[in-house]
Amino acid sequence: MTAGTYTAKYRDGSGVVQKVTTGCRTLDAAKAVLLDLETRADKVRSGKWTAAEDAVLNHRATPIEQHVDAYIAHLRGKRGKGARVAVSKRHVLNVKHSLDCVIGGCGFEHLRDLNREAVDGWVTGQQQKEAVPAARTHNAHLAAVTAFGNWCVQTRRLIVNPFDRLIKLDEKADRRRERRALTEEELHRLLRVAIVRPLAEYGRESEKLPPEKQSGRRTSTSTGPRPKHAKCSPISRT
């Protein structure tokens, strides 16, 4: 079966023979693409361009959504701190949400559009809203785009990371809940629950939750009806 488009065969700047699809259905258009590829290879061989600069050009017309999808696929297959521990699905979803917020908010369409000034301006605009997101949320977004930029450099999609060393917000200055000591009544209820809870859970089987439902230290849940125990007398105050 004959392909619908022409394929170009050339020797790249490193001297390696490459075969790439031109995406062209006419011979003249395919020859123009081949000429561009050969010109780029000559610039690498002559030292005008580096191999990394040449590789970046292969991604110049790709919509940024495709790069984000490739990065998310990379995270899904990545291992965490343990050799057998995969990155959690919750983390992957949070990263995808952060990237969508920043990229959509800044109007980035291609990798060449990425710049830190736009991100800084987006953060400033978010802080001026009536319902200001927490500093911790902003910092999570900034960490996500920084990691995405690093991955683009590692995969030779960018020469440098435009988001390197983004200035994060001060989370200590944005406390949503002030810490305080427990009141006498709150301490009384806490102690009572600490005594009653083991009796209420006695006899119930524990079932491990699937990975997608695990959150923090919550990795299992109790199943079956709660057994009927004798009522516990409340803690007496002294």
Side-chain angles (χ1 to χ4, degrees):
M1 182 176 178
T2 305
T5 58
Y6 286 90
T7 298
K9 182 179 179 180
Y10 72 105
R11 194 176 296 275
D12 64 17
S14 302
V16 179
V17 176
Q18 302 285 354
K19 286 185 178 181
V20 297
T21 179
T22 63
C24 302
R25 297 181 179 275
T26 63
L27 181 59
D28 290 341
K31 286 182 176 180
V33 173
L34 176 60
L35 178 60
D36 179 61
L37 293 171
E38 291 176 335
T39 301
R40 287 169 48 186
D42 288 339
K43 290 184 178 181
V44 173
R45 283 191 290 269
S46 66
K48 291 183 178 180
W49 288 357
T50 65
E53 290 173 331
D54 180 62
V56 166
L57 295 178
N58 295 328
H59 303 284
R60 59 186 174 183
T62 305
I64 196 168
E65 289 82 5
Q66 295 185 24
H67 296 291
V68 171
D69 290 342
Y71 176 60
I72 295 302
H74 160 74
L75 288 182
R76 290 196 179 102
K78 186 178 179 181
R79 295 296 174 183
K81 295 182 179 180
R84 299 181 180 179
V85 180
V87 176
S88 69
K89 291 185 177 181
R90 180 181 294 274
H91 174 71
V92 174
L93 291 175
N94 289 339
V95 170
K96 180 65 165 61
H97 173 70
S98 293
L99 292 177
D100 289 344
C101 287
V102 178
I103 291 174
C106 295
F108 297 144
E109 297 182 356
H110 298 88
L111 291 181
R112 62 174 176 267
D113 300 329
L114 302 181
N115 67 88
R116 65 181 303 147
E117 289 78 12
V119 174
D120 289 337
W122 176 78
V123 172
T124 301
Q126 292 292 303
Q127 291 178 301
Q128 294 174 350
K129 289 185 176 181
E130 183 176 351
V132 181
R136 184 177 182 181
T137 301
H138 279 308
N139 289 342
H141 292 340
L142 298 180
V145 295
T146 300
F148 173 66
N150 287 334
W151 174 81
C152 287
V153 173
Q154 293 169 2
T155 54
R156 304 182 76 176
R157 299 164 192 253
L158 290 174
I159 299 296
V160 295
N161 182 1
F163 306 126
D164 187 31
R165 298 183 180 181
L166 282 171
I167 300 176
K168 294 185 177 182
L169 302 182
D170 185 7
E171 296 183 15
K172 294 182 179 180
D174 187 38
R175 289 186 179 178
R176 297 305 174 100
R177 295 180 181 178
E178 293 294 335
R179 295 187 177 184
R180 60 175 178 79
L182 292 175
T183 63
E184 182 181 356
E185 179 63 26
E186 290 170 339
L187 182 60
H188 176 75
R189 293 202 305 266
L190 175 63
L191 293 175
R192 186 173 190 280
V193 170
I195 293 177
V196 175
R197 179 64 182 269
L199 297 176
E201 296 295 335
Y202 178 76
R204 301 184 71 194
E205 295 183 357
S206 179
E207 179 180 335
K208 189 172 183 179
L209 292 172
E212 63 272 13
K213 291 186 178 181
Q214 295 182 11
S215 176
R217 297 182 180 179
R218 185 173 181 269
T219 59
S220 61
T221 183
S222 299
T223 59
R226 293 180 181 273
K228 296 180 179 179
H229 300 289
K231 293 184 178 181
C232 300
S233 59
I235 298 176
S236 60
R237 296 174 182 264
T238 58

